[in-house]
Structures are given as structure tokens and as C-alpha cells.
Amino acid sequence: MTAWMVGVDTGGTFTDLVALNRDSGELRETKVQSVPADPSQAVMNALEELFATGVNPGDVTFFVHGTTVATNAILEGKGARTGLLITRGFRGVYEARGWSLPSAVELIDPFYRKPPMLAPQRLTEEITGRIDFRGEVLTELVEDDVRRAVRRLKTRGIQSLAICFLFSFLNPAHERRAGEIAAKEAPDWRISLSSDVLPIIREYNRLSTTVIDAYVGPLVESHLRRLSDRLKSRGVTTPQVFMMQSNGGLTRISVGAHYPNQLLLSGPAAGVIAGNKLAASVKESHIVTFDMGGTSADIAVSVDGRMGETTTGRVAGQDIGTPMLKVRTLGAGGGTIAWIGRDGLLKVGPQSAGAVPGPAAYGRGGQAPTVTDANLILGALGSTSALAGKLKLDEGCARAALDRVGKPLGLDAVETAAGIIRIVNTNMAIDLRLALQEEGQDPRRFAMVAFGGAGPLHAGQIARMVGIRRVYVPRRPGLNCATGLLQTSVRHTYLQSAVATLSSFPVERMNALFEQLRARALADAAEEGFAATAVQFHFQVEMRYLHQGYQLAVDCPVSFREDDKPALKRAFDTLHRQTYGQSADAEEAEIVSFRLQAEIAVPQFELPVLPHGDGDFLRAKVGVRQLFDTDSEKFVTATVYERDRLMPGDRLPGPAIMQQFDTTTVVLGRQVLSVDSYGALIIDTEAQ
Amino acid sequence: MPLDPITTEIISNRLREVRVIQDVEHLSSKL
């Protein structure tokens, strides 16, 4: 029997599959249309294509899935009807959004709209009962209040309930009791307690995360169950079935529904993983990953080989407090639509034509011009180059769609197309620069890893605009996220807040808190079917100086002793200095939260090293094409190459176009392209 | 010469970026 590792990533437009034969190293890949109405169907369709090539369902020994179910539920407002129980007097906490103001960009947007509340005011009920900042009961929970509230919410047809009381991270008794009462009154509801979802300080982030949990939970649960059943009935019986999480780690599919908010960045996180894996292989320590697909572009920054992480993440306008990879998403992809704004200017995005009807050039009834249509008219994409290996592009449809928007502005199809590309590239360059500036980083020290179906089309130009000198394009850019699914480990992060100054914090209590987190991690590991010995633990405490509002996570020894405290304080001072440029070594520090990361190694896909060629790159030449150069605003003659015929060691000048089944890479004039030992393309961008 | 609908859009988008950077500079000057 042969053993296959399979990764399936569902995106807004395509569902990608990568399968690796663990014995021979053989790689197979397919791409099918996503089925937004039933995402697990697209997963099965992709698997059927794999099985059609002779792979046996029983030979799939390891399966990982990246999903957009949770994200789409929020984006499209299709989550469960969610109610909220909150401490009396605090119904405004959710609506006030932690007093976070619209960002600078939003402030000057006259059409700015506040993100919707996933649990609206009319489904919010206040409950009497109060716990103070020490975790002591000030006012007993009024159980009848809970019963009355639950009965009222029942008449309003809710399916899921979030419960978040003040200081429940210190004492969850009231939340637990309210949860019990609600479960008894309404046994079919899914109930999310903030003290389970995210037991940390600051009620707004805890609340928002709990509401997301309640809102997407039922949908995620049913999707995972359906997928699990379908896999089993098709003969994929391996217990090694995993989901990718926002933190870049995997979770067993059976446990995935426990942490639905961790699935919000499932797909993008996998891309970041694969990008970093490639960067590590080619020894680039500072990279930005640039993932442009059909619907959106995702940007993530890694400094010194470490992927950026955040505990103040925001997906589709909703705040999430659980640690996740820091990924910046903007509505710019191949299917992104160009339109005329109310101000009479040409706009690109954020709406997308998605998988259906898709860009006008797909010839499936799409009327609106998209980035793909513009790329086709400008010669970056060819009408003969089949998109995703199957779709032929129709130039006539693209031209007609571009005229629909261009004519009223007095532009011809080429001018409109060039405008669309200039605008979408500018938008992406802005976000890329902001992502780097936020980290205080200089783009000239960075390399870009570009992937996604549309990433390599735009990367050379964007990198040059931003000042990034080198772009890597992995071997299978359109399947990079699916590859990333097979390049990480199982990972969970557990948090518990408990506030006290470092000097006064009894070490017994610190160790007891870590022990509590470790017990939760071991329980999850057992449920996931792993032995306790397989779990690697990483302990951290989140610290701040007295009177500070925000904390930094510092590494901590496993079994903490009183005489470890000075070293911990010094580590915090150093980290504070690195982060903010200053520290207060003589000041007292405070511990805010305890954090445990549990990691379990699973089989991974390693990039194979390919044999070097003879350097004669003309073996890959298939023809020439007129390519519009947005700098000189003229068509230039670009050589077209078949990517799969290029070999490590090849080095060729732009303007050039690399065709392959899952993407097209554009090399501009004056840029140089070479192929490295892993088969990745390297574009020297000639950035100043 | 009046600006075309593409250049104007690009300039207005770039202004948003400048606005963000100004915010950062403003904040850091206060520290």
C-alpha cells in the first residue's frame, strides 16, 4: 500500500488539492471550482479528481483541510442567529467596540460603515450578578433573570448563545451557572462561555471573540461533521484528518468545532506557512508573503524568520482576541470588479465576481470587468493560456466588459485595462508598505514570496513600486496554500489571565496556573488521539510595567522557581526595549496572563531539490506576445516560456511571461529571472 | 490640465496612506 498526504484548500474561487506520495515523493495536484453553497462538495470533487488518477481512498493516510466557512459566514452575515447575555448595566460594551475608533483610512472615508454586530442589541439581555476584580462575588447571580432572558430569546428564534460576564476570567461561576440554566431551558442551542473561549482580561476582546464563537460555531460544526461523514463514506478512513487554524497550526477535525474562531484565517495561514517554508529553504530571513487569489490579497510579514502574530486580530471588521498569524487582507484578486464610483472615478474592488459568474472573460455571463479581464487585454494573460488548466479566456467578452466601464469615462479598452491594473497595484502597494511600516521595517531588507493564482502576475510590479528587490515564486504558486497545509504541526495556544506584580505573585500559584493550562492541552491532545509524550510545551507569561495598558509575552521556564523571577524581569526589560526602544529596568513589572503553546509534530512535506539544467533557457520558449508596459504605456514584445520546462540554474531577461497550469508569472523589462534549486523563480525586481 | 479618473483615484488612495503615516508620526512625536 502507498501512503498519500493530501491537502485541500478552499478559497473564494477555487478549491485546490495537493497530494504527496510519501514513499516516492511524487506530487499530484488538481484545482476545481469552489462551491460556496456547500464547501465540502468542492473538497469531495477535488478528491474525486485525485482518485480518478488511480489513488485509492484507503491510501490517503493524512488529510488536511483549509476552509473559508467561518470567514464567509461573517462576511456574508450568514452565521447563526446569536443572542448575548451580559452583566447588567453593560449592554453597551459590545456596541462600543472597546472604544476603538475607525482607523485613519476609515476616518476620511465618507462611505464608512461600522461593522455589523453579530449579536444585535435586540438579542442582548442583561443579567443581575456581579464579580469584582479580585474574582469575589459582589452580587449573587439572579437565576430567574437568566431564565426570563433565555425564554425571551427563545421567542426571538436564536440558535446560539454567547455569555460574557465581567471578570469571568477570574471566577467563571456565574457564567457556568447561567450556561447550565440556558442549556436546560433551550437544549438545542450552542452555548459559548467567555471563560471557556478566551479567559483573559479586557471584556471587549473576550466578548467579541465569544460572540464570533457563537455566531460561526453551529455552521462550522455542521460543515466539519458533513465533511467527516463524506470522507468516511468515500473510504477515506484515516483518523489523521486535520484542519488548518488561524495560528498556522493544525487541529484534529473532531476538535476543530471547539475553536471555530480559530478557523477564520484557515486558508491564508496555510499560504503564510508555505511562504515561510520556502524562505527558510533559500535562507531569506525577512520576507513578506503576497497571496493574491481570485477574491482577495493577503499580506503577512516575517522578521528574522518569525511569522508575525497578533492577539488583536480583525477579520471582516470583527475583533478576535485569540492569538493568530498577522495577515492583512484586502479586496484585490483576479475576480475583483472595476466600477465607476459616485465621485466619477474608476474604482477597483473590493467586490469580486467570485467563482460564479467569474470574470467576463470566463464567458459565463459575467458582465462586470475584472482584474483578470484587464490582464487579458494587456497581454499578461493569454487567451490561449488556459486558466487553472481548464478555463479558456474570451477576449471579446473581456473587451466588451471593459468598454462598459471605460466608455462613460472616455477611455478605450486598453486604457481602461491599464487603469484597472495601475489602481489595483497601487492599492496593494499601499497595504504592503503599511504592513511593513507597522513593524518599523524597511522594504529594502525584504524579499517577497508571491503566490496565489494572481500573485505572480502582479508581484514584479508591486515589489518594484515598494522597493523590494527580490521576488520568489514557488513551483506551484496557485497551490501554495494547499502545500502549506502539509508543512506544519498541530498547535494550540491556551491563555489564562491572572494579574499581580511579579514580586508578589506566589510561584506555587504560577505553577498551578500553568498546570491548569497543561491539563487543558493534554485533554485536547487525548481527544485528538495523541499520546501525552508527543506534546511539546512552550510556556510564556504576558507582562507589563505597572500602570501600562498592554502587555508583551515573555518566555518562561517549565517549572518556575522564586529565583527565576529576576531573569524573567530582565527578559521582559529586553523585549520591551526591542519592541519600543526603551525599558524601565528599575520599575516593578506585572504579570497579566499565562500562555501555553502545545505543539505536536505530524508528517510534513519537504521541498525537493531539483537537478540543475544546462542553462539553455530557450528550451522553454513557446512564443512571443505583446505585453503592455504600464510604465512606458506601450506594448512591448515579451517572450513566453513554459514554466515546467525551465530548470534550476536558468537565467533569463524580461520582458517575459512564464506560463503554467495554475498561474502566470510576469517579468517586466529590465528585470531578470532565475530559477533556484527548489524550482522557485527568483525575479530581480530592479527596485531602486 | 484636469486629472483623469484613474490618476485622481490613485492620488486619493495614496492620500489615505499618507494620512496613516501622518497619524503614526503624530503619535510618535507625542511619546
Side-chain angles (χ1 to χ4, degrees):
Chain A
M1 151 173 169
T2 43
W4 287 87
M5 291 169 71
V6 177
V8 180
D9 173 55
T10 305
T13 313
F14 291 107
T15 293
D16 306 328
L17 178 147
V18 166
L20 173 76
N21 185 326
R22 291 189 63 194
D23 308 317
S24 67
E26 186 195 345
L27 208 56
R28 291 190 191 169
E29 53 245 333
T30 77
K31 214 174 180 54
V32 299
Q33 298 277 322
S34 288
V35 184
D38 180 7
S40 61
Q41 185 57 51
V43 177
M44 297 315 291
N45 292 348
L47 277 171
E48 287 307 333
E49 292 215 354
L50 175 70
F51 298 154
T53 66
V55 174
N56 238 318
D59 292 345
V60 176
T61 55
F62 185 84
F63 179 89
V64 187
H65 175 38
T67 176
T68 48
V69 169
T71 325
N72 287 347
I74 295 185
L75 280 172
E76 296 165 13
K78 288 186 182 151
R81 197 169 159 81
T82 303
L84 171 65
L85 300 187
I86 197 162
T87 308
R88 185 162 300 285
F90 289 85
R91 63 155 62 238
V93 168
Y94 186 39
E95 183 145 29
R97 293 164 54 82
W99 304 117
S100 69
L101 296 169
S103 73
V105 171
E106 292 157 349
L107 274 174
I108 58 165
D109 178 2
F111 305 111
Y112 173 71
R113 282 199 173 185
K114 222 168 142 175
M117 292 169 73
L118 302 180
Q121 283 287 1
R122 65 177 182 286
L123 299 179
T124 300
E125 296 281 347
E126 293 183 329
I127 305 295
T128 304
R130 188 74 182 263
I131 284 167
D132 75 2
F133 69 99
R134 287 164 299 208
E136 287 164 14
V137 176
L138 275 183
T139 312
E140 287 296 340
L141 179 75
V142 178
E143 299 194 357
D144 275 340
D145 245 18
V146 181
R147 273 185 208 99
R148 275 193 298 272
V150 167
R151 285 174 195 157
R152 261 198 305 275
L153 289 174
K154 245 171 121 174
T155 64
R156 291 173 200 162
I158 72 159
Q159 301 150 315
S160 196
L161 180 70
I163 306 181
C164 181
F165 295 153
L166 290 194
F167 296 107
S168 66
F169 65 93
L170 291 174
N171 179 354
H174 285 183
E175 274 190 8
R176 296 228 168 112
R177 182 64 195 131
E180 282 166 16
I181 296 168
K184 207 166 158 215
E185 291 282 330
D188 50 340
W189 286 357
R190 187 181 192 280
I191 297 171
S192 307
L193 306 184
S194 82
S195 47
D196 290 338
V197 173
L198 187 67
I200 57 154
I201 192 167
R202 291 187 181 278
E203 64 274 12
Y204 169 68
N205 277 334
R206 179 157 47 90
L207 167 58
S208 177
T209 311
T210 309
V211 171
I212 291 172
D213 187 272
Y215 185 76
V216 302
L219 220 75
V220 166
E221 253 172 34
S222 71
H223 169 65
L224 297 189
R225 201 177 315 116
R226 197 159 51 223
L227 178 62
S228 231
D229 293 347
R230 278 182 165 169
L231 286 171
K232 281 201 193 94
S233 63
R234 187 61 184 87
V236 181
T237 49
T238 175
Q240 307 269 53
V241 177
F242 297 92
M243 305 293 300
M244 174 60 94
Q245 307 179 94
S246 312
N247 66 6
L250 305 179
T251 179
R252 185 86 69 176
I253 194 164
S254 53
V255 180
H258 293 359
Y259 308 105
N261 66 64
Q262 270 289 2
L263 297 178
L264 286 171
L265 287 183
S266 191
V272 178
I273 297 282
N276 277 273
K277 195 86 176 179
L278 173 65
S281 308
V282 297
K283 310 228 168 1
E284 290 279 358
S285 57
H286 289 28
I287 61 154
V288 281
T289 54
F290 172 64
D291 176 3
M292 184 178 175
T295 313
S296 61
D298 298 308
I299 294 163
V301 177
S302 298
V303 179
D304 286 329
R306 286 176 78 139
M307 293 179 277
E309 196 195 63
T310 178
T311 51
T312 51
R314 192 172 272 189
V315 173
Q318 306 294 333
D319 294 295
I320 307 162
T322 35
M324 54 196 241
L325 295 185
K326 199 169 183 180
V327 179
R328 216 181 159 93
T329 300
L330 74 157
T336 297
I337 290 172
W339 50 291
I340 303 172
R342 278 185 269 181
D343 49 12
L345 304 180
L346 184 65
K347 311 277 173 190
V348 185
Q351 307 87 330
S352 163
V356 184
Y362 284 14
R364 289 202 190 130
Q367 300 292 311
T370 64
V371 171
T372 296
D373 298 310
N375 275 320
L376 177 63
I377 295 304
L378 299 181
L381 289 171
S383 50
T384 51
S385 62
L387 203 65
K390 292 163 199 152
L391 278 165
K392 290 270 184 228
L393 298 178
D394 184 326
E395 222 177 295
C397 290
R399 203 171 281 276
L402 287 164
D403 279 340
R404 230 165 271 135
V405 163
K407 281 258 165 68
L409 298 173
L411 303 168
D412 67 24
V414 169
E415 286 167 338
T416 314
I420 290 172
I421 298 303
R422 274 175 63 206
I423 291 170
V424 79
N425 282 350
T426 308
N427 291 350
M428 289 188 283
I430 290 171
D431 267 66
L432 197 55
R433 263 192 300 262
L434 290 176
L436 288 165
Q437 272 153 6
E438 226 172 69
E439 308 290 325
Q441 296 294 338
D442 180 345
R444 289 169 298 185
R445 296 173 64 206
F446 280 74
M448 176 191 274
V449 183
F451 49 90
L457 267 173
H458 297 256
Q461 177 75 38
I462 294 170
R464 191 153 81 181
M465 286 163 86
V466 172
I468 292 175
R469 289 177 176 150
R470 188 173 266 204
V471 176
Y472 289 85
V473 180
R475 263 177 93 192
R476 289 280 172 261
L479 299 166
N480 201 53
C481 289
T483 311
L485 295 172
L486 304 178
Q487 294 180 316
T488 186
S489 47
V490 173
R491 201 176 306 151
H492 297 287
T493 305
Y494 302 87
L495 286 160
Q496 173 68 54
S497 283
V499 187
T501 56
L502 179 61
S503 59
S504 71
F505 218 121
V507 284
E508 304 76 44
R509 181 152 154 70
M510 290 175 70
N511 286 325
L513 281 162
F514 272 136
E515 203 41 58
Q516 201 180 311
L517 293 178
R518 199 210 302 252
R520 280 175 56 196
L522 288 173
D524 276 347
E527 200 180 333
E528 290 184 296
F530 294 108
T533 47
V535 193
Q536 283 205 318
F537 295 106
H538 181 61
F539 295 85
Q540 286 184 315
V541 283
E542 295 185 355
M543 298 174 72
R544 62 187 182 194
Y545 293 117
L546 279 183
H547 314 301
Q548 274 189 323
Y550 291 90
Q551 56 268 13
L552 293 172
V554 187
D555 292 342
C556 189
V558 177
S559 177
F560 199 78
R561 293 191 318 266
E562 191 63 38
D563 48 10
D564 287 325
K565 281 183 176 175
L568 189 64
K569 171 66 169 48
R570 278 197 300 276
F572 170 65
D573 289 332
T574 308
L575 183 63
H576 199 280
R577 218 162 26 243
Q578 279 170 3
T579 313
Y580 300 113
Q582 54 204 331
S583 62
D585 301 9
E587 295 273 333
E588 174 92 271
E590 194 172 48
I591 293 178
V592 180
S593 295
F594 291 76
R595 181 201 267 243
L596 169 72
Q597 186 165 296
E599 194 158 358
I600 304 163
V602 290
Q604 286 192 17
F605 165 60
E606 297 295 336
L607 294 173
V609 174
L610 306 175
H612 264 243
D614 51 7
D616 178 17
F617 58 84
L618 288 174
R619 83 178 91 75
K621 181 176 169 180
V622 287
V624 291
R625 187 153 83 216
Q626 292 302 302
L627 172 71
F628 191 82
D629 180 75
T630 41
D631 292 339
S632 63
E633 299 190 3
K634 283 200 300 266
F635 277 97
V636 294
T637 303
T639 316
V640 183
Y641 298 91
E642 193 58 55
R643 161 99 188 248
D644 288 342
R645 280 193 244 149
L646 288 173
M647 294 179 85
D650 287 347
R651 194 175 159 80
L652 55 95
I657 296 164
M658 312 293 132
Q659 284 181 176
Q660 64 189 108
F661 111 99
D662 52 344
T663 194
T664 301
T665 306
V666 171
V667 186
L668 304 173
R670 301 197 314 281
Q671 297 187 336
V672 177
L673 179 124
S674 51
V675 185
D676 81 354
S677 318
Y678 299 97
L681 305 179
I682 306 170
I683 304 172
D684 186 346
T685 64
E686 289 299 305
Q688 298 302 309
Chain B
M1 190 183 91
L3 287 172
D4 65 84
I6 294 160
T7 312
T8 316
E9 170 70 6
I10 288 173
I11 292 172
S12 80
N13 288 359
R14 287 300 304 269
L15 278 176
R16 291 175 191 213
E17 180 187 356
V18 173
R19 175 65 202 245
V20 174
I21 297 164
Q22 277 176 343
D23 269 14
V24 174
E25 283 171 352
H26 176 67
L27 283 174
S28 52
S29 70
K30 280 190 158 182
L31 287 175

